[in-house]
């Protein structure tokens, strides 16, 4: 984590050391809520600042990729938000326990949270920066539609849909026709089952999102 600090959208590492033979790390305290809680509670702050939060969260993960790492546990629980004096929330990414160098692709059993894993993590036991992109777009989908991208009546069936190379996510505008098509296109590109068809990394997705900001209204 120390290699990623300081960054305005990443929980900062303040001190690394050893207590006897046990390593320790002191990290920044951010008093606030995580994105999962805000989504589940239909937070007014989230709805009011949706696009801003998406851009800030994308910048956080882009910072990880830019420094040559994959996060490998991208999910709403790992993005923390707190209100700031200027009215815009502070958005920070945390939990780097599973992070790996971007060229440490496998194959090996992939760590992480299965419902946010990309197909190649299930089928090939491999992970890439574009796997983080897939997870981020699953999160985006949930944030803007209020629904999961893949739905099934059991967890086993859900993970089968997610791992399948042919089962694609329902288009967000099928859930909410009022959603901006530009934003939906970014989400769907990031959810491509073939990783070569996704954004290669979060720098590319964040750049695309920022470029389209003025034309996107939620």
């Amino acid at each position: 984590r120390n290699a990623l600090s300081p960054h305005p959208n990443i929980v900062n590492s303040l001190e690394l050391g050893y207590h006897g033979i046990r390593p320790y790390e002191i990290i920044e305290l951010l008093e606030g809520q995580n994105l999962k809680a805000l989504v589940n509670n239909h937070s007014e702050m989230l709805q009011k600042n949706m696009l801003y939060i998406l851009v800030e969260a994308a910048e956080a993960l882009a910072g990880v990729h830019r420094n040559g790492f994959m996060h490998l546990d991208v999910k709403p629980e790992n993005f923390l938000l707190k209100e700031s004096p200027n009215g815009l929330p502070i958005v920070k990414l945390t939990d780097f326990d599973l992070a790996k160098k971007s060229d440490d692709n496998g194959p090996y059993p992939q760590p992480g949270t299965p419902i946010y894993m990309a197909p190649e993590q299930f089928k090939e036991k491999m992970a890439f920066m574009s796997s983080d992109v897939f997870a981020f777009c699953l999160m985006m989908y949930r944030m803007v539609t209020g629904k999961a991208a893949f739905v099934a009546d059991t967890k086993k069936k859900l993970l089968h849909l997610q791992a399948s190379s042919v089962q694609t996510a329902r288009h967000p505008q099928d859930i909410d026709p009022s959603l901006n098509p530009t934003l939906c296109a970014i989400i769907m590109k990031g959810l491509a089952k073939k990783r070569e068809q996704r954004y290669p990394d979060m720098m590319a997705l964040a750049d695309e999102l920022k470029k389209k900001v003025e034309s996107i209204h939620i």
Side-chain angles (χ1 to χ4, degrees):
R1 187 204 304 266
N2 202 41
L4 304 175
S5 297
H7 186 287
N9 300 116
I10 292 174
V11 171
N12 288 312
S13 177
L14 303 178
E15 182 180 322
L16 296 171
Y18 285 86
H19 181 71
I21 62 171
R22 298 181 65 182
Y24 72 85
E25 180 181 19
I26 299 174
I27 64 171
E28 172 187 12
L29 174 65
L30 191 73
E31 295 180 349
Q33 297 188 68
N34 65 49
L35 262 180
K36 181 178 181 180
L38 294 173
V39 170
N40 289 345
N41 295 330
H42 307 288
S43 161
E44 182 180 345
M45 178 179 73
L46 179 61
Q47 296 305 318
K48 183 179 176 182
N49 301 290
M50 179 72 75
L51 187 57
Y52 176 83
I53 292 169
L54 288 174
V55 170
E56 293 290 289
E59 285 288 358
L61 199 49
V64 176
H65 287 185
R66 193 174 288 113
N67 280 279
F69 291 90
M70 303 177 288
H71 187 278
L72 297 183
D73 201 16
V74 177
K75 57 185 178 181
E77 296 94 313
N78 287 336
F79 287 90
L80 305 178
L81 286 84
K82 68 173 289 186
E83 295 188 30
S84 68
N86 69 5
L88 292 172
I90 296 169
V91 182
K92 297 214 174 192
L93 175 62
T94 188
D95 195 351
F96 293 85
D97 292 347
L98 302 181
K100 293 183 180 296
K101 293 287 286 183
S102 58
D103 59 358
D104 186 5
N105 309 116
Y108 41 69
Q110 288 297 318
T113 303
I115 61 170
Y116 285 95
M117 283 185 177
E120 61 273 9
Q121 292 176 276
F122 290 109
K123 299 171 75 173
E124 303 168 44
K125 307 300 181 188
M126 299 186 76
F128 304 86
M129 288 192 288
S130 57
S131 307
D132 276 349
V133 169
F134 189 91
F136 186 83
C137 287
L138 285 174
M139 186 180 82
M140 285 181 69
Y141 191 107
R142 177 65 188 273
M143 287 171 64
V144 303
T145 68
K147 307 287 185 182
F150 298 96
V151 179
D153 54 9
T154 67
K155 184 176 180 180
K156 183 177 180 180
K157 290 179 181 177
L158 170 65
L159 297 182
H160 175 76
L161 290 176
Q162 201 165 303
S164 167
S165 58
V166 294
Q167 295 287 341
T168 57
R170 185 181 176 190
H171 197 283
Q173 286 183 300
D174 290 345
I175 297 171
D176 183 353
S178 70
L179 288 174
N180 183 280
T182 302
L183 180 60
C184 294
I186 291 172
I187 293 171
M188 292 304 288
K189 180 174 179 178
L191 290 179
K193 290 303 188 74
K194 294 182 179 179
R195 63 184 182 86
E196 298 83 3
Q197 296 175 352
R198 293 177 217 144
Y199 298 98
D201 51 50
M202 282 301 299
M203 290 89 80
L205 188 150
D207 287 347
E208 184 79 1
L209 195 54
K210 287 184 292 183
K211 197 180 353 176
K212 304 295 185 182
V213 157
E214 292 184 1
S215 67
I216 295 174
H217 302 282
I218 300 177

